[in-house]
Amino acid sequence: MIYCGIDWAESTHDVALVDDAGVLVTKRRITDDAVGYKILLDLLAEFGDTEEAPIPVAIETSRLLVAVLRTGRRKVFAINPMAAARYRDRHPVSRKKSDAGDALVLANILRTDMHAHRPLPQDSDMARVVSVPARAQQDATWNRQQISNQLRSLLREYYPSALTAFESWRNGLCRPEAHELLRAAPTPTRAARLTHTQLQAALKRADRQRGIAAEAERLREIFRADWAHQPSLVEEALGKQMLALVVHLEAAYTAADDLAEAVEEAFPQHPDAEIILSFPGLGHQLGARVLAEIGDDRSRFSDARGLKAYAGASPITRASGKKSAVTRRWVKNDHLNHAGYLWAFSAISASPGAKAHYRRRRDSCGDWHAAAQRNLFNRMLGQLYHCLQHRELFEEQAAFPGPPELEVSAA
C-alpha cells in the first residue's frame, strides 16, 4: 500500500509517497495551480491510485488542494501541525527540517498511525454552503466586538465625555447616532462647540425619530461640562485615529449583517435544519453555526461522546500517580463551543426542562454559572446527536422527563 504526504505552501507543495516498509517511493514539488494539481493526480495514479482503492493523503491544510483531492472515496487526513512536529522528532535528533522532509513525515504518519487520526468528514455540498457564511458571520461578529472594544479604549484616553453621553443607549458605541456624533465632533473640544441645532441634525442623519430635541439638550449639557483634555495637537491626532476605527466598525457591522442574510437564505434549505430548529434556544443563526461545525456526515462521530469532546462540552480527567483532577477541555472547536454557550444560555429561557437542569447544577451540584451552562450544553448536544441519527424532532418531555420540580429535587 502507498501513502501520500503533502507539505503545502503558498505557491508550491512538496509531495512524498512511501510504501508499507517506509521506503520513499517518489517525491515531487508541484505548483499551486491547476497544472500542479493535475501532476499530483497523475502521480498518484502512476502508483496505483484508483477510484475503488484511492491512496490516502495526509496534509496539514489547504482548502483548494483538499477540494481537488476529496473526490470519490479518497480519505484525506488533516494532521495538526503540532502533532506533525512531534512526529518529526521521532527519528532524527539533529532537529533538521525541510519541506520535502515534512512531506515524508506526513506520509509516514499515515503508514504507522492512520488508525489514530480522523479523516476529513464527507459533508454534503449543501452543508458546506451553509458553513461558509455561518463561520464568516461568527468571525465578523467577533471582529466587530474587537473593534468596538478598541474604540471604547481609545475614547477613554482622550474623550470620556463621549462614553458618558452614549452609555444610556443600548449598544451605545455601535449605534448610528454615536457614529454621526463622533464624525461631527471627533474631539471633545469640538463637541463642546456643537450647537443644539447641530446635535439635532446629527441625530436626524442617524434616522432617530423620537425625542430628538430632549436628547440633543442632554448631549449638549454633557459635552459642555468640565472634562480633562489632552494637549490640543495630541487630541486632534487621536481624533483622526478614532475616525478610522469608526469606519472599520461600520464596515464590520455591514459585513456581519450581509453574512447573516446569507445564512438566513442557505440554512433552511438543508435537510437537518428542521431538526436543529426544533431544539429550544436554536434559531437560524445559532443553528447554522452548529451545523457548520458538526456537518452532516453521520459517520464523523462514532458516538455522542466524540461529538461532546469535539465541542469541549465534556470534562477531561488528568491523572498521575495519586493525583487526579477533572477540568474543562482547552483543546476544542472554538466556534462550536462558543455557539454552545449561547445555545445553553438561550435554552434556559426557552425550555422549562433546561432551566430546571441548570438550576439543579447550580444549587445541588455547586457549579458556577459557566460550568452549569457547559453541562447543559453537554446534555443537549447528546440529544441533538440522537435526533440527527434517528431523524427525530426535539421533544421536551423525552429530553427532560418528569415535571421540572421533580427534576430539580432529583440529585
Side-chain angles (χ1 to χ4, degrees), residues 183-369:
R183 273 193 288 264
T187 65
T189 301
R190 295 191 196 181
R193 298 172 187 162
L194 289 176
T195 65
H196 194 274
T197 303
Q198 290 173 325
L199 289 169
Q200 289 190 73
L203 293 175
K204 290 178 181 178
R205 287 196 300 271
D207 294 329
R208 191 180 182 94
Q209 302 295 328
R210 299 188 199 174
I212 295 179
E215 192 64 25
E217 184 60 31
R218 183 186 72 86
L219 293 171
R220 187 164 175 263
E221 291 178 0
I222 293 175
F223 288 145
R224 295 197 174 189
D226 187 18
W227 297 93
H229 287 262
Q230 294 272 8
S232 58
L233 292 179
V234 176
E235 191 175 88
E236 288 293 333
L238 291 170
K240 294 178 181 178
Q241 181 185 358
M242 182 273 297
L243 290 176
L245 284 177
V246 170
V247 172
H248 285 301
L249 182 59
E250 291 179 333
Y253 258 87
T254 301
D257 292 342
D258 292 344
L259 290 167
E261 292 180 4
V263 170
E264 293 281 348
E265 179 181 351
F267 177 60
Q269 302 178 36
H270 195 279
D272 292 344
E274 183 181 7
I275 297 175
I276 294 174
L277 291 175
S278 70
F279 276 76
L282 284 182
H284 284 75
Q285 298 298 324
L286 271 183
R289 293 182 187 181
V290 171
L291 176 62
E293 303 309 323
I294 68 176
D296 57 4
D297 182 1
R298 296 291 173 258
S299 62
R300 181 176 185 179
F301 302 101
S302 58
D303 53 25
R305 294 178 60 186
L307 174 58
K308 294 175 180 180
Y310 177 72
S314 61
I316 188 172
T317 302
R318 297 180 61 88
S320 177
K322 297 181 180 180
K323 294 182 179 180
S324 178
V326 179
T327 62
R328 57 178 293 192
R329 288 180 181 267
W330 294 99
V331 179
K332 58 188 181 300
N333 183 312
D334 290 333
H335 284 82
L336 181 55
N337 187 266
H338 183 266
Y341 181 86
L342 298 177
W343 176 14
F345 184 82
S346 301
I348 293 172
S349 301
S351 166
K355 182 177 182 179
H357 181 86
Y358 170 80
R359 291 309 326 169
R360 180 174 64 83
R361 296 298 307 186
R362 291 297 308 271
D363 300 336
S364 302
C365 302
D367 286 351
W368 291 91
H369 168 71

Side-chain angles (χ1 to χ4, degrees), residues 161-179:
S161 59
L163 295 178
T164 303
F166 306 151
E167 68 180 356
S168 62
W169 296 343
R170 184 179 180 183
N171 298 326
L173 281 180
C174 300
R175 295 175 65 93
E177 297 99 315
H179 300 167

Side-chain angles (χ1 to χ4, degrees), residues 30-66:
I30 63 171
T31 55
D32 186 43
D33 52 25
V35 175
Y37 300 156
K38 185 178 185 304
I39 292 174
L40 172 60
L41 294 177
D42 291 342
L43 184 66
L44 294 175
E46 180 183 347
F47 287 90
D49 181 79
T50 63
E51 185 175 350
E52 295 74 20
I55 294 176
V57 177
I59 187 171
E60 289 178 350
T61 181
S62 181
R63 182 168 296 180
L64 185 55
L65 179 56
V66 169

